[in-house]
Amino acid sequence: MHVKVENNRHLLKRSLEAVAVFLFEGEPPAGESVAAIDKAAKGMIHQIWEEHDFEGKLHQTTILYPCDDTAIRRLILIGLGKREDFSADKMRSAGAKAGQTARSLKAKSLAVALAADEIGLSWEVATEASVEGIILGLYQYTEFKTLDRESFNEVELLQVFIKDNENMSLVKAAAARTEKICRAVHFVRNLVSAPANAMTPTIMVREALAIAKGHKKIKTTVLEAADMKRLGMNALLGVAKGSAEPPKFIIMEYRGTGKEQSPIVLVGKALTFDSGGISLKPAEKMDEMKTDMAGGAAVIGAVCAAADLQLPVNVVALIPATENLPGGRALKPGDILKSLSGKTIEVLNTDAEGRLILADALAYAGRFKPVAIIDIATLTGACVVALGDHVMGMMGTDDNLKKRIKKASEQTGELLWELPLWDSYSDLIKSDIADYKNAAGRPGGAITAAAFLSKFVGSYPWAHLDIAGPAWLTKDQAYNPKGASGAGVRLFVQLLRNWSDAV
Ligand code: BES
Ligand code: MN
Ligand code: ZN
């Protein structure tokens, strides 16, 4: 999809396939741009309002067909809900609704008249939210569909019309930024959607190299099994032992500012398939474990977006990637591993493998002397039980870092909620015969997993995001169609944008 920003003056001089108009609930159609469109549509918008046939309820959608001598072929009315409940996130969902409606009408282009002042948002936020909602809502994964491909209509052009030239450059810049961020989200969604036979650790490396290629400021390094052995990454190697696919440890370094500035290190769990290993998972829904690399994909996407946006920050992404399979050499319950940090781990459940590979990656993160470490992982079913499947769990040791993450969550609409990480949870992960055990039973499962991770972080400010729920949606959400959501990418990009503002 390509986004073009133009002045309203041009709006009605064109033949437009579909024009979206956003209206608040209980308010008569008003504002300059709506009036101009209504005039071109011979007063249809006012008419439908007078008849009470369109009330502007959130996501309410009506399609009007003005007579054929107007420039507008289809008019899509979308409700924004009540003004007092309105937010940037409602704009995203309304945008998604408009885009999806245009697609269902087989329109190749969609025009929207954007009037930030009339909807009470800044021009920057209004542009970002509407463009983001439209692009993200139109995502579809068609890679493996060979039949009826012509029925997958793509909306190829989004025309954003604004009323004056005063905000033109600001709106253009915001739209261009949003396109870049959405490209990263779609990249991540594609990686997560891919089945495990098309997304092995080796293929993930290829994808990371391919997307990083355009950015000379990203340096990508890949550690092979032999390197891991030399370094002592035995927790990661332990998980990989049950699989014939070689594990990979991907390191992507983006330098957007001076060398002397310590980087933010993002660590993403990448199990390209998690069968559970010898502690095998039930067959039902095991296929969904192809998404167990969503954290790893998210940090690749975030670093590339940071580079694309030329953010003045230094960021490193670390992606331990492997499969978890019950092969002949697989880890057995009871096995003890000596991790990169030197600490020993008793593997009581081979299905608690994410924390094993993260233990080594978190220990490795210390080499960069980071200002902060944030890991992101589809780590526990327990987190989904605690918070629902649309919310990520956050735990961590640094209040300031957690505050920054919460702020980015509010700005992006990527919902998260903090769970406590009190010292008492650490008692639950003590092993009788090693330093720690990797599984601690059902109570507080999301937190005991985080408590385990905390032992490998060292003294750096750290936060952990559990995306077991939101990484993969079983039903459509406004601008996140069901399937892979790209959870974490927009959150990280916003965090990094704020970070660079703050210094
Ligand atoms: N990848 C899973 C967690 C998961 C579950 C992600 C559902 C997405 C949806 C993780 O490796 C796992 O299996 N965790 C176990 C931990 C337990 C054995 C301590 C779990 O949550 O059951
Ligand atoms: Mn598992
Ligand atoms: Zn897993």
Side-chain angles (χ1 to χ4, degrees), residues 274 281 351 353:
D274 176 16
K281 287 180 182 295
D351 196 12
E353 83 300 333

Side-chain angles (χ1 to χ4, degrees), residues 80-97:
L80 294 177
K82 295 211 168 73
R83 188 182 281 271
E84 61 266 32
D85 300 332
F86 189 63
S87 61
D89 209 52
K90 296 253 165 66
M91 189 65 240
R92 288 187 195 100
S93 2
K97 199 83 198 156

